[in-house]
Amino acid sequence: MRLLLSKQTILIRLLSIALGVGLLGWLFDLTLEFLLVYQMVLVGWHYKHLFMLDKWLWRDRKLSPPAGDGSWQQVFDGIYYRQRKSRKKNKELRLLVRRFRDGAEALPDAIIVLTSDWSIVWCNKLAQQLAGLRWPMDEHQRIDNLIRNPEFQQFLQQKQFDSALELVSPLSDEVTLEYRVLQYGEKQYLLIIRDITQIKQLEQIRKDFVANVSHELRTPLTVLQGYLEVMDVDNMPAPPIWQKAHTVMLEQTKRMDALVQQLLTLSRIEAAAKVQFDAVVDVPAMLHLLEQEAISLNREKQHQLQFQVDPNLRVTGITEELRSAFSNLITNAIKYTPPGGEIQVCWQRQHQKALFSVTDNGEGIAPHHVKRLTERFYRVDEARTRSSGGTGLGLAIVKHVLSRHHSKLMIFSEPKRGSSFSFSLPPELVVGVQTQQQPKLPRKIKG
């Protein structure tokens, strides 16, 4: 515990010294002169310690106080004690501020601290990316002067922050941002900006999905309903009309069944958890069966089918899912390639990967369609797809199957010059072979 300076003690000490000096001066008959010298020495002693204090506070870099005499030492120690206490508090405050900023930087949202007049106090790095702020240049700038959107300015003026505001990003028209304001301390606000582009896209995909499924099912149901309404037990149509109606109803029923089956397949693949691929898939044998199916499907269009299959190349994976991927790509090529075209199916080793590709010389696909081909129910040509019996889900299934097998569908197409759909399975899924045999030569099949 530090002792406080006592006015009485100091006064007694000064008077005692002055009395002693005065008595000494009286002995020499120089009392006033001795007292004057004493005062000058006392002033000089105080100025000496003032200079020491000034040097310590403003020029020295030492934290420890200088060595003083008498009451000045207590002054030095008191200042040192206060400085040390202040430094400790400042360190704690800096640590708290650093923790706050580290936490704000770790958040997936943009954070901006504002005063009551909407001036910027602080923002994290994500705020600079989403809102285009510059830190620290924009410090103390009004946020409504930097985000010059009438809806945003009206949102701040009304101060009705129960609901969030959704606006297009000031940096990109393709990004949608959500603005939310919260009360933060006294006379301060916290502006939270969140990128909801993906959420909006998923919401739109969900709406499109429901609309597309409803549309796909409505058409065959309308056909069935129309035929059934004109039929009754007592008034059956003539045999030729009934045969036609029966054929149409059967086709529409098969179409609905195919749609439901593919929806169930897609749902099952999406909902399935990640699995370890321990089962060996005999892809060459699978492609041999698919080749026979392709020959049967190709009887009408008479394409030139060419299968190049490495008989020793096997992989680990989910057999039914891989078969669905292979079948969808081969079937699509047959359906959408004009009669008499050429289709090449290839299953070969590419370095340490297993490469599968289906290439045709058909009409090709425009670039703006290519990037959307794997979306559910997306069609390049509605009329052509419906006439071929497609559901618009095949490539979506392929995309999800390949994603579960750590691969990605690659699409290369050029109008009037054909298309190529390919993917490569990673080395960890490729089964090593003990003997290297020559792959079978390409087989050309017509019809």
Side-chain angles (χ1 to χ4, degrees):
M1 182 176 178
R2 297 183 179 274
L3 296 176
L4 298 178
L5 291 175
S6 172
K7 295 180 181 180
Q8 183 179 1
T9 302
I10 294 175
L11 183 59
I12 292 174
R13 186 181 301 172
L14 290 175
L15 291 176
S16 299
I17 296 174
L19 183 59
V21 172
L23 289 174
L24 184 61
W26 179 74
L27 292 176
F28 293 96
D29 197 19
L30 296 171
T31 303
L32 293 177
E33 287 81 353
F34 270 68
L35 289 174
L36 180 61
V37 172
Y38 165 68
Q39 292 296 327
M40 293 178 64
V41 171
L42 184 61
V43 171
W45 180 77
H46 280 297
Y47 268 103
K48 171 191 173 184
H49 286 85
L50 281 174
F51 285 127
M52 291 173 62
L53 178 61
D54 178 77
K55 182 181 179 182
W56 175 46
L57 293 178
W58 300 104
R59 286 174 284 179
D60 279 355
R61 296 183 179 179
K62 296 180 180 179
L63 297 178
S64 57
D69 300 323
S71 57
W72 275 103
Q73 185 61 51
Q74 285 186 272
V75 173
F76 292 158
D77 291 343
I79 295 175
Y80 172 70
Y81 172 75
R82 290 292 181 181
Q83 284 183 335
R84 188 172 62 179
K85 191 174 181 180
S86 178
R87 284 195 296 269
K88 184 178 179 181
K89 285 190 174 181
N90 288 337
K91 184 177 180 181
E92 292 175 354
L93 289 174
R94 286 195 299 269
L95 182 60
L96 287 175
V97 171
R98 187 180 300 113
R99 287 179 178 176
F100 164 77
R101 291 189 175 182
D102 290 343
E105 293 292 356
L107 292 175
D109 303 327
I111 304 296
I112 305 174
V113 181
L114 303 170
T115 60
S116 58
D117 63 347
W118 310 122
S119 297
I120 299 175
V121 177
W122 180 82
C123 68
N124 62 358
K125 292 182 180 178
L126 194 56
Q128 302 173 45
Q129 298 174 11
L130 293 181
L133 301 183
R134 299 175 301 167
W135 187 260
M137 287 77 76
D138 289 336
E139 187 177 9
H140 304 309
Q141 296 291 326
R142 288 176 59 96
I143 188 67
D144 49 353
N145 290 335
L146 300 177
I147 303 179
R148 303 189 64 84
N149 186 297
E151 294 184 43
F152 178 73
Q153 295 175 353
Q154 185 179 5
F155 176 66
L156 294 181
Q157 292 172 3
Q158 292 178 349
K159 292 188 177 182
Q160 296 178 358
F161 303 135
D162 295 335
S163 59
L165 175 67
E166 295 181 6
L167 293 174
V168 176
S169 169
L171 304 180
S172 174
D173 293 338
E174 298 180 356
V175 178
T176 304
L177 301 178
E178 178 189 78
Y179 296 85
R180 189 178 295 274
V181 178
L182 304 175
Q183 188 73 36
Y184 181 68
E186 295 183 2
K187 298 182 180 180
Q188 284 190 337
Y189 293 94
L190 199 65
L191 175 61
I192 303 175
I193 305 176
R194 177 175 299 175
D195 186 351
I196 59 171
T197 305
Q198 188 174 7
I199 296 176
K200 300 296 286 186
Q201 290 175 348
L202 291 175
E203 183 179 350
Q204 186 61 42
I205 290 174
R206 179 185 61 81
K207 292 179 180 179
D208 293 343
F209 176 74
V210 173
N212 285 324
V213 169
S214 302
H215 180 72
E216 291 293 334
L217 292 176
R218 186 186 298 115
T219 301
L221 286 174
T222 301
V223 173
L224 291 174
Q225 182 180 1
Y227 279 111
L228 291 175
E229 285 178 350
V230 298
M231 295 180 185
D232 54 56
V233 178
D234 300 327
N235 187 22
M236 293 295 292
I241 299 177
W242 164 248
Q243 183 177 3
K244 179 181 178 182
H246 179 269
T247 302
V248 173
M249 288 191 293
L250 184 60
E251 290 177 352
Q252 296 299 326
T253 304
K254 289 181 178 179
R255 177 180 170 186
M256 283 193 296
D257 181 68
L259 175 62
V260 172
Q261 290 299 327
Q262 288 205 323
L263 283 172
L264 292 174
T265 300
L266 187 58
S267 178
R268 184 178 66 252
I269 293 174
E270 289 180 334
K274 293 184 178 179
V275 295
Q276 296 292 333
F277 301 131
D278 298 327
V280 176
V281 182
D282 189 352
V283 178
M286 180 187 295
L287 290 177
H288 178 70
L289 294 177
L290 292 177
E291 181 180 342
Q292 302 306 313
E293 294 179 7
I295 293 173
S296 176
L297 185 63
N298 187 45
R299 286 175 181 172
E300 181 179 349
K301 290 192 173 182
Q302 295 292 304
H303 295 124
Q304 293 289 336
L305 298 179
Q306 183 177 350
F307 278 71
Q308 292 181 315
V309 179
D310 185 339
N312 297 316
L313 185 55
R314 295 170 175 81
V315 296
T316 57
I318 304 175
T319 304
E320 289 304 317
E321 291 187 6
L322 288 177
R323 188 186 191 284
S324 177
F326 293 143
S327 177
N328 271 300
L329 294 179
I330 295 173
T331 303
N332 281 352
I334 294 174
K335 285 182 178 179
Y336 302 124
T337 301
E342 296 181 2
I343 300 174
Q344 184 181 55
V345 180
C346 181
W347 173 250
Q348 298 290 336
R349 187 182 298 272
Q350 185 184 57
H351 303 297
Q352 296 182 344
K353 298 181 179 180
L355 174 67
F356 178 80
S357 65
V358 178
T359 307
D360 63 68
N361 64 346
E363 297 179 359
I365 306 168
H368 65 278
H369 289 301
V370 170
K371 60 182 180 181
R372 300 190 60 188
L373 285 178
T374 56
E375 294 181 13
R376 301 174 187 180
F377 296 108
Y378 184 80
R379 292 183 172 91
V380 176
D381 187 338
E382 291 279 346
R384 187 183 68 170
T385 304
R386 294 187 191 281
S387 64
S388 63
T391 63
L393 293 173
L395 292 182
I397 293 175
V398 173
K399 174 185 175 181
H400 284 82
V401 169
L402 297 183
S403 177
R404 280 168 54 80
H405 288 77
H406 316 299
S407 184
K408 184 177 180 181
L409 181 64
M410 306 298 293
I411 305 174
F412 300 96
S413 184
E414 187 176 348
K416 306 302 181 183
R417 301 194 63 177
S419 306
S420 174
F421 295 77
S422 64
F423 63 87
S424 58
L425 298 178
E428 58 266 23
L429 298 184
V430 178
V431 178
V433 291
Q434 297 180 352
T435 58
Q436 295 290 338
Q437 300 180 7
Q438 294 294 328
K440 293 182 179 180
L441 295 176
R443 304 188 302 280
K444 291 188 176 181
I445 308 162
K446 184 174 182 180

